[in-house]
Amino acid sequence: MPDARTRGVHAANHGERQPVRDADRNRRLASDAETVTDAALFPSLTEGITLLDIDDERGVPVIQSLVLDHLLVTDGPAFWVDANGYATTTSLARLAPSHRMLDRIHVARGFTPYQHYGIICDLPATVNHTLRAAATEAGGERDQTSSPSPSVLVAPAVDAQYRATDTMRGEAAETLLARTLARLRAYADGYDVPVVVTRSQRDAFAEPIERIADRHITCERTRFGPRFVGADFETLVYPVGDGAYYQTTFAYWRHVLTARAEQCGVEPTGYRTEPATSTVGTGVTTDGTRTTLDAAPLREAWSHAGGGR
């Protein structure tokens, strides 16, 4: 099992560590504005198909970090069906807190649509062979702490090989992509594990990917770090160099001010949304750059409470 570096994991009875889910972490942050001891930096990967859209040219470190973060709090191997070079070993080795984690990531690469689809079809046989080999290496009996199924399945740029090429066009490409997605759907349901996919473009050809996904997460690059947004997760805090955490998003401050108002016996009212016209104070980004903070949410809360007159 992972060591004390695992994020989002707390000691439970008898020293066991269990993952803390996204919404719980954010609610705890909102209810305690004085100190932040745990960061909700990454969304947890849950069972089913997760579509990750990254507002970046490629976002290779983002998807690699999510997979490594998941492996830290789970057992079992990850199976990665690669396209467009997302499984670069150099960046994986730099990101992994322990190189032993890399032994748990099994990568296969398809360079044509038929190769990619063939790898997807052969995935169950590969999973069974890998698990049997692990059991044999452990002495013929599976370790009680190991997982009988994969930890996560990863298929970045799942549509890339099926787009217009010299070997496949039109309906044939759409059909093979649909079959690939159907296989991933079956694996997500059969293994009951997360399946993470990304798409190379957001267009009509990739619409089936969004339709089949159980969960949609977007990631955008900000001055403070990557910001994840999903139906049950939103990045509210960012780390700074001294180990503390810096709250930047409007949502965080609105949660905090609402909690404070309730503590003071003030009935919270709705917040207006208006363009930012002034700033207050400065913040420190993760690279040490100082930046100004928008005063709008603080000004709104002050005026609603009857102050500032």
Side-chain angles (χ1 to χ4, degrees), residues 34-64:
E34 297 179 355
T35 177
V36 178
T37 59
D38 186 27
L41 299 180
F42 290 114
S44 299
L45 297 179
T46 57
E47 294 78 8
I49 297 178
T50 296
L51 170 60
L52 175 64
D53 277 329
I54 306 170
D55 291 336
D56 196 354
E57 290 184 0
R58 282 168 54 77
V60 171
V62 174
I63 188 170
Q64 290 186 354

Side-chain angles (χ1 to χ4, degrees), residues 214-257:
D214 301 300
R215 189 185 191 199
H216 188 190
I217 298 175
T218 60
C219 177
E220 61 177 327
R221 184 188 298 274
T222 73
R223 293 174 296 176
F224 305 100
R227 180 171 182 263
F228 296 94
V229 177
D232 57 353
F233 181 88
E234 179 182 0
T235 301
L236 298 181
V237 296
Y238 296 89
V240 293
D242 59 0
Y245 295 96
Y246 182 54
Q247 300 81 28
T248 62
T249 63
F250 289 3
Y252 174 85
W253 290 111
R254 288 176 177 175
H255 280 303
V256 169
L257 292 172

Side-chain angles (χ1 to χ4, degrees), residues 36-252:
V36 178
T37 59
D38 186 27
L41 299 180
F42 290 114
S44 299
L45 297 179
T46 57
E47 294 78 8
I49 297 178
T50 296
L51 170 60
L52 175 64
D53 277 329
I54 306 170
D55 291 336
D56 196 354
E57 290 184 0
R58 282 168 54 77
V60 171
V62 174
I63 188 170
Q64 290 186 354
S65 297
L66 280 176
V67 172
L68 289 168
D69 188 62
H70 182 74
L71 289 178
L72 281 169
V73 296
T74 59
D75 296 311
F79 292 87
W80 189 306
V81 182
D82 199 41
N84 285 8
Y86 275 81
T88 53
T89 55
T90 301
S91 57
L92 273 171
R94 292 178 60 185
L95 288 169
S98 169
H99 283 185
R100 295 184 61 183
M101 293 182 62
L102 301 180
D103 295 334
R104 296 170 57 193
I105 303 177
H106 302 266
V107 178
R109 295 179 173 88
F111 298 97
T112 70
Y114 300 107
Q115 287 180 358
H116 190 272
Y117 178 65
I119 293 170
I120 294 291
C121 292
D122 292 341
L123 191 55
T126 302
V127 170
N128 292 336
H129 173 77
T130 301
L131 294 176
R132 284 197 301 267
T136 301
E137 186 177 350
E141 295 183 1
R142 188 181 303 278
D143 190 330
Q144 293 182 355
T145 62
S146 65
S147 172
S149 65
S151 174
V152 61
L153 306 179
V154 190
V158 68
D159 59 321
Q161 295 298 340
Y162 305 99
R163 292 185 174 275
T165 66
D166 294 336
T167 58
M168 181 173 294
R169 297 178 184 275
E171 292 185 4
E174 295 175 358
T175 299
L176 205 56
L177 174 61
R179 291 177 178 176
T180 294
L181 296 177
R183 292 269 183 171
L184 292 176
R185 173 79 272 165
Y187 300 154
D189 296 339
Y191 289 117
D192 199 25
V193 298
V195 175
V196 184
V197 299
T198 69
R199 48 187 169 179
S200 61
Q201 297 181 40
R202 303 184 197 182
D203 56 13
F205 185 79
E207 284 182 359
I209 304 173
E210 186 168 355
R211 289 198 299 267
I212 202 173
D214 301 300
R215 189 185 191 199
H216 188 190
I217 298 175
T218 60
C219 177
E220 61 177 327
R221 184 188 298 274
T222 73
R223 293 174 296 176
F224 305 100
R227 180 171 182 263
F228 296 94
V229 177
D232 57 353
F233 181 88
E234 179 182 0
T235 301
L236 298 181
V237 296
Y238 296 89
V240 293
D242 59 0
Y245 295 96
Y246 182 54
Q247 300 81 28
T248 62
T249 63
F250 289 3
Y252 174 85

